[in-house]
Amino acid sequence: MTANKITFNKMKENIDFDASPVIGGTKSIEEMGEELLNEIVAVANGKVVKAEAFGFNDIAISRLCNYV
């Protein structure tokens, strides 16, 4: 999940949910929250997330500056 449109567009094949419409002003927090809840329910019911489809079972995004 990301709310950064640039990150999502660069990593569409790895990121399951894009919350950037809230930041862009095209969706409300409530609308995006409902979509996220629906996605969570789908995953809880067995939907395979993109990382699982690639065979990953854990992912961490490293920061350039770990003390921030």
Side-chain angles (χ1 to χ4, degrees):
M1 173 181 176
T2 186
N4 183 316
K5 185 176 183 176
I6 294 168
T7 299
F8 183 75
N9 287 332
K10 288 182 179 180
M11 300 183 68
K12 282 182 185 179
E13 63 280 352
N14 297 316
I15 298 174
D16 293 281
F17 191 82
D18 176 23
S20 67
V22 171
I23 295 171
T26 59
K27 290 193 178 179
S28 70
I29 291 174
E30 291 78 13
E31 291 172 312
M32 201 88 282
E34 186 173 333
E35 288 183 30
L36 179 57
L37 179 59
N38 290 337
E39 182 70 13
I40 291 168
V41 169
V43 172
N45 284 316
K47 177 182 175 184
V48 176
V49 297
K50 292 177 182 179
E52 290 175 306
F54 284 117
F56 298 113
N57 57 18
D58 65 336
I59 290 182
I61 298 174
S62 178
R63 295 185 179 265
L64 293 176
C65 183
N66 289 326
Y67 58 87
V68 172

